[in-house]
Amino acid sequence: MSEFEERRKRQSEAEKPTLADLRADIDRIDASMHELLMERGRVIDRLIEIKQRQGGGSAFRPAREAAMMRAIAERHRGRLPLDTVESIWRVIISTFTYIQAPYSVHVDVSRGDAAMRDSVRFHFGFTVPCVPRFGPGKVIAAVQKSTGDLGMLALAAPLDSGAWWTKLKPREAPKVIARLPFVERPDHPAGMPIFVISKPLAEGAARDVVLEAVTVDRWRPDFPHALMSHEAEIIGSAADGVGLSLLIARPGESVPDAITATLRSAGGADVRSVEVGAHARRFDAGSLRRIAC
């Protein structure tokens, strides 16, 4: 190796950051993140003042939250797991929403509380109070009586819960406003499919997918295939009085009476439908390209 090459090598090695340099960088980044969180809090203070002057309104914005979570998943790169990034942002969003208007989350633990508690803590953190309830009916009733609480219901409710979604049919009853997790993937640490309910929102709702509680006289084998033509699916069914109640998810842009007309054409009789909520379109992060650095 020539003298020039040796001198360049020594210079290059001298320019490499030391452990102390890297730790100083980490401390600087940590301080910056903390300052940005406090700045976000100051913005929320001004937001609260404006809302109070304008007469208030719900702090929940399901459409905005879903868009934010999708954007985070799409731009994420590097070694840090998406699980961690998603959880951090969920806690930030949920906590600042709580600061605007304190609320509790009522959680159905009738299927066992481990997975439900994982989900509520992943999506809402530890600042927002979590209230366990036994059965979908108890969750719906608690949200109905509250001033602005949320409820969490597993899509796969216990068989003895019956057609719990019919309790969402009255105009003033709670409605589904979100489906969790916002970002889906096979290895999600809080991946149990969950519906979030609240009192009806005047604004900020996501309507990519609309949920209908549909009553028919009885089951027909042609129902699922007929609904596929509208990209709709049956996600729940249970006896309801002398008939059958179906919980159906359909695209938000489809014609409102298309589902009832389709079920009638498939042999259904005495078909009646009531909208019981809506949520953002499911986003599968499994197909996203990951770049390690």
Side-chain angles (χ1 to χ4, degrees):
M1 182 182 296
S2 68
E3 181 180 346
F4 174 76
E5 290 173 332
E6 289 180 355
R7 186 164 62 251
R8 287 293 301 273
K9 180 180 180 182
R10 288 194 299 270
Q11 181 181 1
S12 177
E13 290 175 349
E15 291 174 351
K16 289 181 179 179
T18 65
L19 285 177
D21 293 333
L22 296 176
R23 287 167 181 156
D25 281 343
I26 290 174
D27 290 342
R28 174 182 55 78
I29 293 169
D30 287 347
S32 297
M33 289 192 300
H34 189 193
E35 182 58 44
L36 287 171
L37 285 173
M38 291 187 290
E39 182 180 353
R40 197 181 198 278
R42 292 190 289 271
V43 173
I44 293 297
D45 288 339
R46 297 199 296 272
L47 180 65
I48 293 172
E49 292 176 3
I50 292 173
K51 283 191 172 184
Q52 288 175 341
R53 291 198 299 269
Q54 295 179 348
S58 174
F60 300 115
R61 292 291 185 274
R64 176 170 166 77
E65 289 189 28
M68 290 174 66
M69 298 315 301
R70 176 169 184 155
I72 287 167
E74 288 178 331
R75 71 172 177 250
H76 182 62
R77 299 291 185 272
R79 289 184 180 274
L80 185 63
L82 177 58
D83 298 339
T84 303
V85 177
E86 183 185 1
S87 178
I88 289 171
W89 249 266
R90 286 303 313 153
V91 171
I92 289 172
I93 293 169
S94 299
T95 302
F96 278 110
T97 302
Y98 178 80
I99 290 171
Q100 292 183 60
Y103 64 96
S104 296
V105 180
H106 302 269
V107 183
D108 176 20
V109 296
S110 58
R111 297 179 72 249
D113 66 353
M116 291 297 286
R117 286 183 182 273
D118 284 348
S119 184
V120 71
R121 292 312 181 195
F122 183 93
H123 290 98
F124 295 96
F126 286 89
T127 299
V128 179
C130 169
V131 184
R133 303 285 182 182
F134 198 83
K138 297 292 181 62
V139 172
I140 295 169
V143 173
Q144 177 74 65
K145 293 176 183 177
S146 73
T147 56
D149 290 353
L150 298 179
M152 290 180 64
L153 304 167
L155 268 67
L159 294 177
D160 59 2
S161 298
W164 57 264
W165 51 88
T166 60
K167 294 180 174 63
L168 307 179
K169 290 168 64 174
R171 181 182 295 274
E172 300 303 321
K175 300 290 184 284
V176 174
I177 63 169
R179 173 174 170 149
L180 300 178
F182 286 110
V183 181
E184 297 185 345
R185 53 195 179 278
D187 58 348
H188 199 294
M192 176 187 286
I194 301 289
F195 279 144
V196 178
I197 65 170
S198 79
K199 286 186 175 178
L201 299 178
E203 56 184 355
R207 292 188 58 81
D208 296 334
V209 178
V210 172
L211 301 174
E212 295 185 14
V214 182
T215 302
V216 296
D217 60 329
R218 63 181 177 84
W219 176 260
R220 262 77 170 187
D222 291 339
F223 283 169
H225 180 72
L227 290 171
M228 286 176 60
S229 63
H230 296 283
E231 298 182 349
E233 62 176 331
I234 299 170
I235 56 178
S237 65
D240 183 30
V242 295
L244 178 71
S245 181
L246 305 175
L247 180 60
I248 295 178
R250 64 167 174 85
E253 63 271 16
S254 62
V255 179
D257 60 356
I259 298 304
T260 53
T262 297
L263 293 177
R264 291 190 187 103
S265 68
D270 194 22
V271 183
R272 291 165 289 170
S273 176
V274 177
E275 184 177 317
V276 294
H279 59 80
R281 185 173 289 106
R282 295 154 64 182
F283 177 61
D284 181 8
S287 60
L288 292 177
R289 182 168 59 96
R290 296 287 169 246
I291 301 177
C293 65

